[in-house]
PDB file of all heavy atoms in Angstrom:
ATOM      1  N   ASN B 233       7.331  -6.294 -25.370  1.00  0.00           N
ATOM      2  CA  ASN B 233       6.122  -7.088 -25.542  1.00  0.00           C
ATOM      3  C   ASN B 233       6.055  -8.338 -24.646  1.00  0.00           C
ATOM      4  O   ASN B 233       5.877  -9.455 -25.137  1.00  0.00           O
ATOM      5  CB  ASN B 233       5.979  -7.472 -27.018  1.00  0.00           C
ATOM      6  CG  ASN B 233       4.575  -7.965 -27.324  1.00  0.00           C
ATOM      7  OD1 ASN B 233       3.624  -7.602 -26.620  1.00  0.00           O
ATOM      8  ND2 ASN B 233       4.439  -8.790 -28.338  1.00  0.00           N
ATOM      9  N   PRO B 234       6.205  -8.154 -23.323  1.00  0.00           N
ATOM     10  CA  PRO B 234       6.151  -9.301 -22.418  1.00  0.00           C
ATOM     11  C   PRO B 234       4.705  -9.733 -22.149  1.00  0.00           C
ATOM     12  O   PRO B 234       3.784  -8.943 -22.295  1.00  0.00           O
ATOM     13  CB  PRO B 234       6.765  -8.742 -21.137  1.00  0.00           C
ATOM     14  CG  PRO B 234       6.413  -7.287 -21.166  1.00  0.00           C
ATOM     15  CD  PRO B 234       6.388  -6.884 -22.611  1.00  0.00           C
ATOM     16  N   HIS B 235       4.549 -10.977 -21.737  1.00  0.00           N
ATOM     17  CA  HIS B 235       3.241 -11.488 -21.362  1.00  0.00           C
ATOM     18  C   HIS B 235       2.908 -11.082 -19.917  1.00  0.00           C
ATOM     19  O   HIS B 235       1.776 -10.734 -19.596  1.00  0.00           O
ATOM     20  CB  HIS B 235       3.243 -13.008 -21.516  1.00  0.00           C
ATOM     21  CG  HIS B 235       1.921 -13.629 -21.228  1.00  0.00           C
ATOM     22  ND1 HIS B 235       0.742 -13.097 -21.691  1.00  0.00           N
ATOM     23  CD2 HIS B 235       1.588 -14.723 -20.513  1.00  0.00           C
ATOM     24  CE1 HIS B 235      -0.266 -13.851 -21.277  1.00  0.00           C
ATOM     25  NE2 HIS B 235       0.216 -14.831 -20.556  1.00  0.00           N
ATOM     26  N   VAL B 236       3.940 -11.126 -19.067  1.00  0.00           N
ATOM     27  CA  VAL B 236       3.750 -10.755 -17.663  1.00  0.00           C
ATOM     28  C   VAL B 236       4.785  -9.694 -17.291  1.00  0.00           C
ATOM     29  O   VAL B 236       5.942  -9.799 -17.696  1.00  0.00           O
ATOM     30  CB  VAL B 236       3.926 -11.989 -16.739  1.00  0.00           C
ATOM     31  CG1 VAL B 236       3.855 -11.604 -15.273  1.00  0.00           C
ATOM     32  CG2 VAL B 236       2.876 -13.055 -17.054  1.00  0.00           C
ATOM     33  N   VAL B 237       4.359  -8.658 -16.559  1.00  0.00           N
ATOM     34  CA  VAL B 237       5.292  -7.667 -16.035  1.00  0.00           C
ATOM     35  C   VAL B 237       5.159  -7.681 -14.517  1.00  0.00           C
ATOM     36  O   VAL B 237       4.054  -7.507 -13.981  1.00  0.00           O
ATOM     37  CB  VAL B 237       5.001  -6.245 -16.560  1.00  0.00           C
ATOM     38  CG1 VAL B 237       6.120  -5.286 -16.154  1.00  0.00           C
ATOM     39  CG2 VAL B 237       4.819  -6.239 -18.072  1.00  0.00           C
ATOM     40  N   ALA B 238       6.280  -7.913 -13.809  1.00  0.00           N
ATOM     41  CA  ALA B 238       6.224  -8.039 -12.349  1.00  0.00           C
ATOM     42  C   ALA B 238       6.976  -6.897 -11.671  1.00  0.00           C
ATOM     43  O   ALA B 238       8.027  -6.461 -12.142  1.00  0.00           O
ATOM     44  CB  ALA B 238       6.819  -9.383 -11.935  1.00  0.00           C
ATOM     45  N   PHE B 239       6.416  -6.417 -10.581  1.00  0.00           N
ATOM     46  CA  PHE B 239       6.967  -5.298  -9.809  1.00  0.00           C
ATOM     47  C   PHE B 239       7.054  -5.696  -8.341  1.00  0.00           C
ATOM     48  O   PHE B 239       6.237  -6.478  -7.871  1.00  0.00           O
ATOM     49  CB  PHE B 239       6.030  -4.081  -9.858  1.00  0.00           C
ATOM     50  CG  PHE B 239       5.720  -3.564 -11.231  1.00  0.00           C
ATOM     51  CD1 PHE B 239       4.785  -4.193 -12.026  1.00  0.00           C
ATOM     52  CD2 PHE B 239       6.353  -2.425 -11.705  1.00  0.00           C
ATOM     53  CE1 PHE B 239       4.478  -3.708 -13.291  1.00  0.00           C
ATOM     54  CE2 PHE B 239       6.059  -1.930 -12.964  1.00  0.00           C
ATOM     55  CZ  PHE B 239       5.127  -2.576 -13.763  1.00  0.00           C
ATOM     56  N   ALA B 240       7.998  -5.120  -7.605  1.00  0.00           N
ATOM     57  CA  ALA B 240       7.954  -5.196  -6.146  1.00  0.00           C
ATOM     58  C   ALA B 240       7.067  -4.035  -5.700  1.00  0.00           C
ATOM     59  O   ALA B 240       7.271  -2.898  -6.122  1.00  0.00           O
ATOM     60  CB  ALA B 240       9.353  -5.050  -5.567  1.00  0.00           C
ATOM     61  N   SER B 241       6.086  -4.312  -4.872  1.00  0.00           N
ATOM     62  CA  SER B 241       5.160  -3.253  -4.468  1.00  0.00           C
ATOM     63  C   SER B 241       5.880  -2.180  -3.650  1.00  0.00           C
ATOM     64  O   SER B 241       6.747  -2.476  -2.832  1.00  0.00           O
ATOM     65  CB  SER B 241       4.025  -3.840  -3.632  1.00  0.00           C
ATOM     66  OG  SER B 241       3.106  -2.823  -3.340  1.00  0.00           O
ATOM     67  N   SER B 242       5.549  -0.923  -3.924  1.00  0.00           N
ATOM     68  CA  SER B 242       6.096   0.208  -3.165  1.00  0.00           C
ATOM     69  C   SER B 242       5.155   1.372  -3.420  1.00  0.00           C
ATOM     70  O   SER B 242       4.272   1.269  -4.270  1.00  0.00           O
ATOM     71  CB  SER B 242       7.496   0.567  -3.679  1.00  0.00           C
ATOM     72  OG  SER B 242       7.390   1.056  -5.014  1.00  0.00           O
ATOM     73  N   GLU B 243       5.338   2.474  -2.717  1.00  0.00           N
ATOM     74  CA  GLU B 243       4.476   3.637  -2.969  1.00  0.00           C
ATOM     75  C   GLU B 243       4.674   4.151  -4.387  1.00  0.00           C
ATOM     76  O   GLU B 243       3.737   4.622  -5.022  1.00  0.00           O
ATOM     77  CB  GLU B 243       4.724   4.750  -1.958  1.00  0.00           C
ATOM     78  CG  GLU B 243       4.071   4.533  -0.596  1.00  0.00           C
ATOM     79  CD  GLU B 243       2.576   4.221  -0.649  1.00  0.00           C
ATOM     80  OE1 GLU B 243       1.887   4.635  -1.608  1.00  0.00           O
ATOM     81  OE2 GLU B 243       2.096   3.536   0.262  1.00  0.00           O
ATOM     82  N   ALA B 244       5.897   4.068  -4.907  1.00  0.00           N
ATOM     83  CA  ALA B 244       6.153   4.543  -6.271  1.00  0.00           C
ATOM     84  C   ALA B 244       5.406   3.672  -7.280  1.00  0.00           C
ATOM     85  O   ALA B 244       4.825   4.176  -8.245  1.00  0.00           O
ATOM     86  CB  ALA B 244       7.653   4.542  -6.557  1.00  0.00           C
ATOM     87  N   VAL B 245       5.400   2.369  -7.051  1.00  0.00           N
ATOM     88  CA  VAL B 245       4.703   1.466  -7.976  1.00  0.00           C
ATOM     89  C   VAL B 245       3.188   1.647  -7.852  1.00  0.00           C
ATOM     90  O   VAL B 245       2.472   1.694  -8.851  1.00  0.00           O
ATOM     91  CB  VAL B 245       5.142   0.004  -7.737  1.00  0.00           C
ATOM     92  CG1 VAL B 245       4.199  -0.977  -8.419  1.00  0.00           C
ATOM     93  CG2 VAL B 245       6.569  -0.186  -8.249  1.00  0.00           C
ATOM     94  N   LYS B 246       2.700   1.795  -6.610  1.00  0.00           N
ATOM     95  CA  LYS B 246       1.260   2.035  -6.427  1.00  0.00           C
ATOM     96  C   LYS B 246       0.825   3.304  -7.150  1.00  0.00           C
ATOM     97  O   LYS B 246      -0.313   3.442  -7.554  1.00  0.00           O
ATOM     98  CB  LYS B 246       0.916   2.168  -4.940  1.00  0.00           C
ATOM     99  CG  LYS B 246       0.993   0.857  -4.187  1.00  0.00           C
ATOM    100  CD  LYS B 246       0.689   1.057  -2.709  1.00  0.00           C
ATOM    101  CE  LYS B 246       1.000  -0.229  -1.953  1.00  0.00           C
ATOM    102  NZ  LYS B 246       0.693  -0.122  -0.526  1.00  0.00           N
TER     103      LYS B 246
END
Side-chain angles (χ1 to χ4, degrees):
Chain B
N233 195 25
H235 183 43
V236 175
V237 188
F239 302 79
S241 184
S242 66
E243 282 308 333
V245 166
K246 288 178 189 182

